[in-house]
Amino acid sequence: MEDGRADRPSGKPREKCGVVGVSLAERDAALPTYYALYALQHRGQESAGIVTHDGFQQHQHVEMGLVGDAFDQDDVDALRGSTAIGHVRYPTAGSVDKDCAQPFSVSFKGGALGLSHNGNLVNADEVRDDLAGAGHAFTSDGDTEVIAHDLARNLLESDLVRSVKHTMSRIHGSYALTIMHDDTVLGVRDPQGNRPLIIGELDDGYVLASESSAIDTLDGEIVRDVRPGELVVLHEDGSGFDSYQLVEAENTAHCFFEYVYFARPDSVIDEELVYEVRRDLGRELWAESGTETDVVMPVPDSGRAFASGYAEAASEDGAATEFAEGLMKNRYVGRTFIMPTQEARERAVRLKLNPIKSTVEGKTVTLIDDSIVRGTTSRQLVQLLKDVGAEEVHVRIGAPAIVAPCYMGIDMATREELIAGDQSVDGIAEEIGADSLSYLSTDAVSEAIGKSKDDLCLGCVTGEYPYDIDGEATDRDVERPTIEPPADD
Amino acid sequence: MEDGRADRPSGKPREKCGVVGVSLAERDAALPTYYALYALQHRGQESAGIVTHDGFQQHQHVEMGLVGDAFDQDDVDALRGSTAIGHVRYPTAGSVDKDCAQPFSVSFKGGALGLSHNGNLVNADEVRDDLAGAGHAFTSDGDTEVIAHDLARNLLESDLVRSVKHTMSRIHGSYALTIMHDDTVLGVRDPQGNRPLIIGELDDGYVLASESSAIDTLDGEIVRDVRPGELVVLHEDGSGFDSYQLVEAENTAHCFFEYVYFARPDSVIDEELVYEVRRDLGRELWAESGTETDVVMPVPDSGRAFASGYAEAASEDGAATEFAEGLMKNRYVGRTFIMPTQEARERAVRLKLNPIKSTVEGKTVTLIDDSIVRGTTSRQLVQLLKDVGAEEVHVRIGAPAIVAPCYMGIDMATREELIAGDQSVDGIAEEIGADSLSYLSTDAVSEAIGKSKDDLCLGCVTGEYPYDIDGEATDRDVERPTIEPPADD
Amino acid sequence: MEDGRADRPSGKPREKCGVVGVSLAERDAALPTYYALYALQHRGQESAGIVTHDGFQQHQHVEMGLVGDAFDQDDVDALRGSTAIGHVRYPTAGSVDKDCAQPFSVSFKGGALGLSHNGNLVNADEVRDDLAGAGHAFTSDGDTEVIAHDLARNLLESDLVRSVKHTMSRIHGSYALTIMHDDTVLGVRDPQGNRPLIIGELDDGYVLASESSAIDTLDGEIVRDVRPGELVVLHEDGSGFDSYQLVEAENTAHCFFEYVYFARPDSVIDEELVYEVRRDLGRELWAESGTETDVVMPVPDSGRAFASGYAEAASEDGAATEFAEGLMKNRYVGRTFIMPTQEARERAVRLKLNPIKSTVEGKTVTLIDDSIVRGTTSRQLVQLLKDVGAEEVHVRIGAPAIVAPCYMGIDMATREELIAGDQSVDGIAEEIGADSLSYLSTDAVSEAIGKSKDDLCLGCVTGEYPYDIDGEATDRDVERPTIEPPADD
Amino acid sequence: MEDGRADRPSGKPREKCGVVGVSLAERDAALPTYYALYALQHRGQESAGIVTHDGFQQHQHVEMGLVGDAFDQDDVDALRGSTAIGHVRYPTAGSVDKDCAQPFSVSFKGGALGLSHNGNLVNADEVRDDLAGAGHAFTSDGDTEVIAHDLARNLLESDLVRSVKHTMSRIHGSYALTIMHDDTVLGVRDPQGNRPLIIGELDDGYVLASESSAIDTLDGEIVRDVRPGELVVLHEDGSGFDSYQLVEAENTAHCFFEYVYFARPDSVIDEELVYEVRRDLGRELWAESGTETDVVMPVPDSGRAFASGYAEAASEDGAATEFAEGLMKNRYVGRTFIMPTQEARERAVRLKLNPIKSTVEGKTVTLIDDSIVRGTTSRQLVQLLKDVGAEEVHVRIGAPAIVAPCYMGIDMATREELIAGDQSVDGIAEEIGADSLSYLSTDAVSEAIGKSKDDLCLGCVTGEYPYDIDGEATDRDVERPTIEPPADD
């Protein structure tokens, strides 16, 4: 996938984040939370934060930067208490701002609240306006503060479960939340389960995390995914958890892009191992649009598992296509480098990826990647391979074409910037200079993930969304909050 | 006075600080608090902080450095709410640490607490041990956290006034506190009123501050000093305040050194204008030990008001002594400069003060300062004046000799470092090379301040303290907490 | 004087700087240079730098910030060699830029050149264009780089003295320079001696500095001022110096404002002690426009010496006017504080200066300062004194009214911003709310400084300049470079 | 390979660096140099620097940190001139110090010199002592300053080629240098060619770089490697270069470890493509010690090319061993993370690498890596694979065992820390818990690289060095400088 930074839409920044919650018997929870965030670093590099509670008071440490930079030993030591939540946040253009760093914490008359959010509300402005009308002052323009204020307000009048249910009845959109009210840690997933959240068991407690690899890092065991619409309340003493199925939705809307690109390959999400899904997508890709070329090579690292499945399937079909690592990645390409001229920008890809000439020269090549967003990098790569002697370059993408923005918390390009936004596959092939180009079908995606299309969010590849978004089509019978507010409210 | 930094004792750092509390009708309180801290900057340059409450939640911003550096416009804007407390802290050797920066805030099950402290407890370890035994974890080794935890604990079981009274019954030492519990701002002064705290009225609210100059800066009017042992509770709507005289002590123990050196000359403390006190001390100095020399000159800036009173009294007595600004101060001497060798250190005074040769050459000189701590600077200054041609140099000090450490929150030298710790005035005169040296008597201090010696803390000049300190003598019948805990506890 | 920062004109920043040059027998020159810069810190707080040469190679360390912050022990230790030059630079609005920090150093085919400049060229653009035409690339828009390139260019073709003379024949304006070519230290002053530069002798070498107080700090002896148009070459072994009178001008154009405001009171400039000049200006002020009021008080610290002379002369005349320090300065007012509203700006003066009510209430007051630039502060001060009860406030200024900008390196306001730019003294008095206002005459200035008006630069108070400036009048027969280029060039 | 940082010997830091030199017709050379350093970032992440010359003067910018962080657009723009050298430096423990950042530049009486060094001198102290005896003062303890001073000294007395030859006759050890004297760029490689240096041609000039991938990044063409003992002088106008074979050595001593680990796979070093060498080493590994297991998997990313060659050779031999990516790397593991306890350190590997359970469970596994240094990571990895169900774990290393330190500029562990320093392969297998362990023979290394063992430096795997090092054996007839100083010296 191309560098997401350049593809980011202007306008309100959206979040791709990782969340954690930990409740232990006696041990301080800060260090395990720190390691879990480390494991989720790929979900957000802008800021990292941990909030803990020691039974008496709340402690917090939130900083801009990577987990390893944001915390030193003293910072972690100061975070006393056996319960904690944590958060890593994705870098966004422009308003990179400490105000938006999470967990968001509120010290209010009902005690201490902390909240970590992954996802995106579609009615945040509406809820914010209601709360502002009731006298709430907001310090950021983020969704998270809106959820936190609504929940805190409810907590002044109701118990924890009812308060959460009440808040869920007001907010609409995608969310996986870890919450800490005083020393109680909660996990919540939106009614359609768009963003992942999983429960793990440790020797002396329980953990909630966006991905199972965080549980692995703590040498824990996967218990199960948090269910769509479920509230999980970890026991303060680490002895277990309670489950409250606050809402039931007919269908889920799991984000298929978590499998394609965003999650770690070693994570299990909604019971599917991401690595295997990617290899299966590669196999489907061969089945749907395989071409026998001299070599097949991934765009590292995102295309590797796809290419490996593709090559394997090709080999099983008796094709002579050889798998090769023909593009070498510069591991140190950072966030910023200087590109003063258009010419320099054209050449920038070579700072990141350099072809092994011997692998390419005089050969026909299939290049495999997981997605094309704006097409700039793909065009440069095809050109680069031809410059060093590739006779043909065929591009195969392990997902359908992205034709529309994501409103659920992944920071895609605007519709205008998307190369597939307004043209045919042939047009795109021509634009990137490929001898042929194929995407995968949504049927194949459904097949590889092992879930019905009705249970996936395919909004960015179909333009039809499983949530009710102003000005966009829906792919199902979506109605605003089907959640009944708690009876006694 | 010599540079306090070099004179600081090792061991637990003590605090010389400034505190502020503000409660307004509608306006955000952060900006007035910021200006008030600016006016109190001389009381602490290590860190600055403000905590506010907007009726729903608490906000805070605490940073190392000067007020002007610690806050920018956005920081102040984010501090919503019409109630606030603030703090500036004195730089201490070694463990300059963000953990000790104030206001200290606690987000606990009983809501949000913020606390700013000026002073020093003498039984902090005792109280801390009790609380630790009850399960409290501490993140700093400061007194303030101890007071905050004790108070928060009481608040879980009792009302505000009783909780403060209970805490006052446990802590012993000097303290002027501004406290914010949720959106209520309080001010407390220890039973003997060692540290100053004053109430001011603004157009739309009330303010508490260590010194009246902070009230001036806000164009407010002085109402009165907070009384020793009094709790003042500002109304949330800025309409007034309630007073609770929680303890009555027979005598006060106002710090005389606030008048001599620490407070701003334009502040009124316990009904005395500091500038006039200093001029009176200068007049007393002439009366007790005046010497007719060609010129009398202050060590700038600390000796100026003393020298002016001294010269005036001399002139009234018909002495031909001329007042002259013969030492020019380098306004940019900062905290640090390089002094690799002993020789360099000897010469360092000339980086700070340079004599005007024409004022000194061939003349007899009286040099006036407010105090001598270790004597290094005085010795260098006398030598410097002689080097440029002074025929005689007589040193007059507008306070008694400092012979013992301060346990009440001012960071003096250790007893061993004090030049007056173990020798006669003649010995000191010889050590600093002065042709004569005189200090002021404690009677004259009492006279100039207009308070009985029994109502002043003169510990550092008598070695007898008005508080019960392990291993030190007391100058009165001091008993540990005479404060009855509230009846129902 | 009002805070210069707010009065700074937009447009090209001008420099008010301090320069140093040191050549010793054996000792490393960096530490003495550091102390000398410390003594000259008032001349520039934006950046500090030292360049040394160890006989083989040049070393440099230039940083933004105060001298004490810009250098640590290691930095000074790394600056090997017994010759050095140094520089402190004034903070300028907007383009505070490391590129402009000095000394400027050039590593060119003719060796190593370092250059420190105080002053302002009036034909810098002209010379820069010539050099650019000859292939020189410039990295800053500063005058100093222009002088350095011109001199380096000359050094490739000629000897040191001829090269300097050649450069002097091309540049026109005010300059006091310390230069280091390889390990030779030079000092140069422009033909009219606008900016100060003085020679001092140490035990083991010689020093050049903008002000004599830097020599005092090193325990050195004043030798004499560098003469206008003179080149001084310090011997590499610290044994002495050679003098080359490269140009003779009929009259000098010493900046009178150095005496009034800019220089340290303890400095001797062109044989006059600044402190005495200021007291004499105060005496002249009484003589010209003395008014008997209850008290006379300085605006601290700038008005103190003036007020002292004024009060003394008043007393000699039998006036009952009492000298009082009625305004207390907040020593910690830094570069920045937040003033979000106009109202806040109006009140800002009270953050800096607070009146002692008892000194002012019910009294007639004379307020003494050295200058009025835009008038904002003066207006606020007069108002403040009246607010606390002054019956009358008479303002007396120890210099003529500033009516025009400075082109010689002092950063005044633009003509439009100057309160005296386009109105009468009465108009100004009204604008600042004073009961009366008087400035000093230029005759009195000439008298107090002890130099003919023809030998002073009075441009900013007369609008007639001793240099040839586009669009401005001259007060004498100024011709562009009267300096003959060296014969053999 | 394990994390080199933890394996670093104490004592004098050694350098693993990248060097660049560029000479163009007209274009500024800074930007291409910047891109070339970006491509060489893997050779050093501690600091980055560029020195340029514009024909008149030298410009430099050297900063700590990655290339992308060390330079912004303004920094590059300020580096005028069409000739440049650059440097990236490896992070070393403890004394990470700006003093050691390169290029090292000297502004001396003979002009401007800049120097970038990759390698390590074995007689630096000796040369330094000589120079110090001649009056040279050193600011760092690095080799580079020694070379620079020696060369500068020679340049005061001789021409460029003779000066370089003279310096080469004095220094002994490994070095690849890019040098800039005024605006002339040179490249030098030590007589045995230990460190790589290659010449590339651009459209408008020539470039020297440690690796060919830097030339690729500039869209340049490889010309040839700089020959051992050769001096290459780039023409100032970018039109070509001159070659001076200053020394002839019988054998080369190319570092074999560049091929095994250090260089980028897409670089060609001494005419061998690193990627192909690694695949060949993998094939040799199968040939020498192949074991048929269910899967073969690389330690990512270092073992990937080896494992690919190994699997391919296995497949050609009919083995059923499947290639799998069974270990997933956390791309965001940074330099620092908190590991407060021994237990945490044991588990640290899981922060970096997480197994795909499905790939491993119930299977026999061959794990391929390029080297084992201290063995800690290998032990943890084997344990990890067994924990998730691997039945057997066989470790195969694509290089011989490292038994001795490197003195040529690669920062290995001390002999005591090396796991292979004092025990048999069986002992190591037991220590890391592997079911079997095999290293590669030096013959196989020689075969894969295509160079005789006599032309390789195999010091770290044999303990016999091709340079004369105090206390170590040599593997050939090494004599100190066989280089004749230039005849006329």
Side-chain angles (χ1 to χ4, degrees), chain B residues 311-333:
Chain B
E312 191 179 75
S315 162
E316 288 165 16
D317 281 2
T321 298
E322 186 195 357
F323 178 92
E325 291 268 355
L327 287 167
M328 285 299 148
K329 192 172 176 178
N330 182 344
R331 296 276 164 226
Y332 294 97
V333 167

Side-chain angles (χ1 to χ4, degrees), chain A residues 35 73 219 266 338 354, chain D residues 35 73 216 266 338 347 354:
Chain A
Y35 290 136
Q73 184 71 54
D219 287 339
D266 51 332
I338 301 171
N354 196 31
Chain D
Y35 290 135
Q73 185 71 54
D216 293 346
D266 52 330
I338 301 170
R347 233 192 274 160
N354 197 32

Side-chain angles (χ1 to χ4, degrees), chain C residues 5-56:
Chain C
R5 286 175 302 113
D7 297 327
R8 203 166 306 119
S10 59
K12 186 176 160 239
R14 308 237 168 65
E15 302 156 42
K16 249 186 310 194
C17 303
V19 303
V20 173
V22 174
S23 191
L24 302 178
E26 295 206 345
R27 209 171 27 127
D28 276 356
L31 192 63
T33 304
Y34 168 87
Y35 290 135
L37 292 178
Y38 218 109
L40 299 178
Q41 185 77 78
H42 62 291
R43 298 185 73 88
Q45 298 96 49
E46 178 185 302
S47 62
I50 297 176
V51 171
T52 66
H53 201 284
D54 66 9
F56 176 71

Side-chain angles (χ1 to χ4, degrees), chain C residues 309-328:
Chain C
Y310 182 95
E312 191 180 75
S315 162
E316 288 166 16
D317 280 2
T321 298
E322 186 194 357
F323 178 93
E325 292 267 356
L327 287 167
M328 284 300 148

Side-chain angles (χ1 to χ4, degrees), chain B residues 35 73 219 266 338 354, chain C residues 35 73 219 266 338 347 354:
Chain B
Y35 289 136
Q73 184 72 55
D219 286 339
D266 52 332
I338 301 170
N354 197 31
Chain C
Y35 290 135
Q73 184 71 55
D219 287 338
D266 52 331
I338 301 170
R347 232 191 277 160
N354 196 31

Side-chain angles (χ1 to χ4, degrees), chain D residues 53-265:
Chain D
H53 201 284
D54 66 11
F56 177 70
Q57 69 173 123
Q58 194 188 71
H59 305 278
Q60 56 174 305
H61 183 86
V62 178
E63 289 241 331
M64 302 310 288
L66 297 174
V67 176
D69 299 327
F71 290 86
D72 62 23
Q73 185 71 54
D74 286 348
D75 298 330
V76 170
D77 287 349
L79 292 167
R80 303 288 178 80
S82 61
T83 52
I85 61 170
H87 193 268
V88 287
R89 184 177 156 86
Y90 189 75
T92 55
S95 67
V96 171
D97 197 335
K98 202 170 170 184
D99 292 347
C100 290
Q102 300 189 23
F104 189 85
S105 55
V106 186
S107 173
F108 73 117
K109 292 183 181 176
L113 190 68
L115 206 140
S116 295
H117 176 212
N118 175 30
N120 196 54
L121 300 191
V122 299
N123 70 335
D125 291 346
E126 204 178 300
V127 182
R128 179 195 309 272
D129 289 350
D130 286 358
L131 286 164
H136 286 253
F138 292 89
T139 56
S140 76
D141 59 357
D143 292 2
T144 315
E145 189 176 8
V146 169
I147 305 176
H149 275 239
D150 192 81
L151 182 56
R153 190 178 181 79
N154 295 338
L155 281 166
L156 287 176
E157 294 173 7
S158 188
D159 67 25
L160 194 57
V161 175
R162 281 168 194 278
S163 293
V164 171
K165 187 168 187 187
H166 203 181
T167 292
M168 288 176 76
S169 75
R170 287 175 60 117
I171 61 177
H172 180 58
S174 72
Y175 51 88
L177 302 169
T178 55
I179 303 173
M180 196 166 63
H181 178 232
D182 291 333
D183 53 352
T184 306
V185 171
L186 325 175
V188 181
R189 213 170 160 198
D190 75 66
Q192 293 170 284
N194 185 256
R195 295 287 128 210
L197 190 64
I198 192 161
I199 311 170
E201 182 175 0
L202 308 182
D203 288 348
D204 58 348
Y206 283 83
V207 57
L208 297 160
S210 292
E211 296 184 29
S212 66
S213 54
I215 299 169
D216 293 346
T217 297
L218 301 177
D219 286 339
E221 296 295 322
I222 294 174
V223 175
R224 62 167 173 83
D225 298 283
V226 174
R227 295 182 194 110
E230 183 188 16
L231 163 66
V232 166
V233 182
L234 303 191
H235 297 174
E236 281 85 344
D237 63 359
S239 64
F241 62 87
D242 298 319
S243 162
Y244 303 86
Q245 189 66 39
L246 299 185
V247 210
E248 297 278 3
E250 208 165 316
N251 281 105
T252 60
H254 298 318
C255 170
F256 88 99
F257 215 70
E258 288 276 353
Y259 295 98
V260 167
Y261 170 70
F262 201 52
R264 281 172 57 148

Side-chain angles (χ1 to χ4, degrees), chain B residues 31 34-35 38-39 41-42 45 66 68-69 71-73 76 213 216-219 264-266 273 275-276 279 301 304 312 322 324-325 328 330-334 336-340 344 347 350-351 354-356 358-359, chain C residues 31 34-35 38-39 41-42 45 66 68-69 71-73 76 213 216-219 264-266 273 275-276 279 301 304 312 322 324-325 328 330-334 336-340 344 347 350-351 354-356 358-359:
Chain B
L31 193 63
Y34 168 87
Y35 289 136
Y38 218 108
Q41 185 78 79
H42 63 290
Q45 299 96 48
L66 297 175
D69 298 328
F71 290 86
D72 61 24
Q73 184 72 55
V76 170
S213 53
D216 294 345
T217 297
L218 302 177
D219 286 339
R264 281 173 58 148
D266 52 332
L273 175 63
Y275 178 71
E276 291 301 344
R279 284 182 42 108
D301 298 311
R304 187 168 291 124
E312 191 179 75
E322 186 195 357
E325 291 268 355
M328 285 299 148
N330 182 344
R331 296 276 164 226
Y332 294 97
V333 167
T336 50
F337 45 89
I338 301 170
M339 295 182 299
R347 234 193 274 160
R350 204 147 190 191
L351 288 178
N354 197 31
I356 305 282
S358 64
T359 318
Chain C
L31 192 63
Y34 168 87
Y35 290 135
Y38 218 109
Q41 185 77 78
H42 62 291
Q45 298 96 49
L66 298 174
D69 298 328
F71 290 87
D72 62 23
Q73 184 71 55
V76 170
S213 54
D216 293 345
T217 297
L218 301 177
D219 287 338
R264 281 172 58 149
D266 52 331
L273 175 63
Y275 178 71
E276 292 300 343
R279 283 181 44 106
D301 298 307
R304 187 169 290 124
E312 191 180 75
E322 186 194 357
E325 292 267 356
M328 284 300 148
N330 182 345
R331 296 275 165 228
Y332 293 97
V333 168
T336 51
F337 46 89
I338 301 170
M339 294 182 301
R347 232 191 277 160
R350 204 149 190 188
L351 289 178
N354 196 31
I356 304 282
S358 65
T359 319

